[in-house]
Amino acid sequence: MLKLKRLDNMDILTNDVQRLVDFYHGTLGLGFFLPYVAEERWAAIEMGNVTLYIFHTTNTAPVERRTAVNLEDKPGFDSFAFEVENLDEAIAYLDGKVEWVTAEPIEWQHPNGTHYRYRPMFDPDGNMFYVTEPHKTV
């Protein structure tokens, strides 16, 4: 029987590794999982218990940008999300440093009481991700 344990890593392909390193490490303040050597044209960024690998590609096709409306986007990988303790504080810190997807935070509630406040943004390549303030019921 297959026993998957946890999500270990994710990869982003880019034409400009340094630009994404500057964003994920510099702007967002995430640490390196492995020592970063720019000449190698890849980086490993710590995202909590998941590693984000950023690899160089020579394909120059642009990233197809997603929206915050799942029903309208094409099938495929959509986004990832960082949990924050206070969404308003995270937004205040990121304002002027990121390109927001929506003008305002979004709220979602499940009938069991679990609810989320979140706001999507793009990285410099156009990959979408969120900061989210989860309120989970057990």
Side-chain angles (χ1 to χ4, degrees):
M1 172 183 252
L2 178 64
K3 293 185 180 183
L4 301 176
K5 295 168 65 175
R6 66 176 188 85
L7 183 62
D8 178 72
N9 67 74
M10 301 174 5
D11 300 343
I12 292 180
L13 304 179
T14 183
N15 299 122
D16 192 339
V17 172
Q18 188 63 58
R19 179 176 62 183
L20 290 189
V21 165
D22 291 344
F23 180 76
Y24 286 99
H25 177 68
T27 302
L28 300 184
L30 299 171
F32 291 108
F33 173 68
L34 296 169
Y36 174 57
V37 180
E39 297 77 30
E40 293 181 7
R41 299 173 77 169
W42 66 271
I45 305 285
E46 290 182 340
M47 297 190 333
N49 65 348
V50 175
T51 304
L52 173 65
Y53 284 92
I54 302 170
F55 293 108
H56 181 262
T57 181
T58 58
N59 186 322
T60 58
V63 170
E64 184 172 323
R65 288 188 167 207
R66 311 297 278 186
T67 71
V69 184
N70 291 344
L71 292 173
E72 296 175 3
D73 282 341
K74 292 180 181 180
F77 181 78
D78 184 70
S79 61
F80 55 89
F82 290 102
E83 179 178 339
V84 296
E85 287 186 30
N86 185 302
L87 183 64
D88 297 321
E89 288 177 6
I91 290 171
Y93 174 81
L94 292 168
D95 262 342
K97 299 175 184 172
V98 302
E99 179 185 349
W100 296 110
V101 176
T102 60
E104 297 295 327
I106 301 166
E107 296 192 22
W108 176 85
Q109 183 157 350
H110 188 272
N112 79 350
T114 293
H115 63 281
Y116 287 82
R117 293 183 64 236
Y118 53 93
R119 191 163 179 198
M121 69 192 89
F122 293 117
D123 74 10
D125 278 8
N127 300 296
M128 188 172 71
F129 69 99
Y130 293 81
V131 282
T132 183
E133 181 185 307
H135 300 274
K136 299 176 183 177
T137 59
V138 187

